[in-house]
């Protein structure tokens, strides 16, 4: 049994490759901080305000899931025409628009008027966003380091989600369950998505690709 790895994860060579890797992982960190808390707060709304049970809450997330999957499948084709950096910017701004729309929710809003429309917009942005970030982070990585780079990116997204959820729960601690709390949460997430779009300007084009 080996007690110590023969090379660090990620390797020093991967770390030295610089800006695309680390700027891309910062973008992924912020994306995780936006999208992972979304599920928590929407679950809170459906169960606390709409009085949905566990099964109905899960069904309420079907539009988010289906639109996200469809957008993710579409992302490679869109990226061929726009380039990764432009798609990151566009999809982050699309998500921001969805979260601004979601921030208009009231404690008396029903599912159709309060959740369904924003679900389509922000989930489309979410689905389109992940593929170009992944391309940016892993572009030019040697085959032997690809797994480490991908693992680091996934860990970064989960860490971002944990930090984002902790920050948003703290932000709304005194107003939890009110319209003001949901407004604050979704407007904050929209602002972070806008920051992701701005940060995308600092990303170089992935190895061997030109931005349109």
């Amino acid at each position: 049994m080996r007690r110590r790895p023969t090379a660090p994860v990620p390797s020093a060579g991967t770390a030295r490759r610089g800006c695309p890797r680390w700027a891309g992982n910062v973008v992924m960190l912020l994306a995780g901080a936006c999208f992972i808390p979304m599920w928590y707060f929407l679950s809170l709304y459906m169960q606390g305000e709409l009085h949905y049970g566990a099964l109905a809450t899960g069904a309420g997330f079907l539009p988010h899931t289906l639109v996200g999957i469809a957008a993710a499948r579409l992302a490679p084709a869109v990226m061929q025409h726009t380039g990764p950096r432009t798609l990151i910017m566009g999809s982050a701004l699309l998500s921001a628009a969805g979260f601004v729309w979601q921030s208009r929710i009231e404690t008396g809003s029903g599912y159709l008027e309060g959740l369904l429309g924003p679900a389509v917009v922000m989930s489309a942005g979410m689905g389109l966003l992940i593929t170009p970030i992944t391309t940016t982070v892993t572009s030019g990585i040697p085959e032997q380091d690809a797994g480490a780079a991908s693992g680091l990116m996934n860990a970064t997204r989960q860490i971002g989600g944990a930090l984002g959820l902790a920050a948003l729960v703290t932000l709304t601690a005194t107003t939890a369950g009110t319209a003001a709390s949901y407004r604050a949460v979704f407007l904050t997430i929209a602002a972070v998505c806008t920051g992701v779009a701005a940060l995308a300007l600092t990303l170089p084009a992935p190895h061997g690709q030109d931005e349109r």
Side-chain angles (χ1 to χ4, degrees):
M1 180 181 295
R2 180 177 296 169
R3 294 177 177 270
R4 183 175 299 173
T6 57
V9 181
S11 69
T14 299
R16 284 194 299 269
R17 287 183 179 92
C19 182
R21 240 62 63 214
W22 299 109
N25 273 293
V26 171
V27 170
M28 185 62 83
L29 181 84
L30 294 176
C34 293
F35 295 119
I36 292 177
M38 175 192 78
W39 305 103
Y40 171 81
F41 286 102
L42 290 179
S43 294
L44 200 65
Y45 182 85
M46 283 190 272
Q47 295 187 30
E49 301 300 327
L50 300 183
H51 307 293
Y52 285 0
L55 183 60
T57 300
F61 281 123
L62 280 175
H64 303 76
T65 303
L66 295 176
V67 172
I69 291 172
R73 292 180 66 87
L74 185 63
V78 176
M79 193 166 60
Q80 287 183 351
H81 295 283
T82 65
R85 183 172 54 196
T86 302
L87 184 55
I88 290 171
M89 294 172 59
S91 56
L93 291 175
L94 180 64
S95 296
F99 283 114
V100 169
W101 187 1
Q102 188 65 84
S103 74
R104 301 176 62 185
I105 197 170
E106 299 289 342
T107 52
S109 298
Y111 183 86
L112 291 180
E113 68 271 25
L115 297 179
L116 184 59
V120 173
V121 178
M122 58 194 182
S123 298
M126 175 177 63
L128 290 169
L129 183 62
I130 302 303
T131 297
I133 298 176
T134 303
T135 300
T136 300
V137 171
T138 59
S139 176
I141 292 287
E143 183 178 353
Q144 66 270 20
D145 291 333
S150 179
L152 176 62
M153 181 187 64
N154 287 326
T156 299
R157 179 169 55 180
Q158 297 302 320
I159 292 169
L163 293 175
L165 181 58
L168 291 168
V169 168
T170 301
L171 176 67
T172 60
T174 60
T175 59
T178 66
S181 70
Y182 293 115
R183 187 175 303 113
V185 163
F186 293 119
L187 285 177
T188 300
I189 294 176
V192 176
C193 285
T194 304
V196 168
L199 186 58
L201 292 171
T202 69
L203 297 174
H207 181 72
Q209 294 189 27
D210 294 320
E211 291 292 324
R212 303 300 194 269

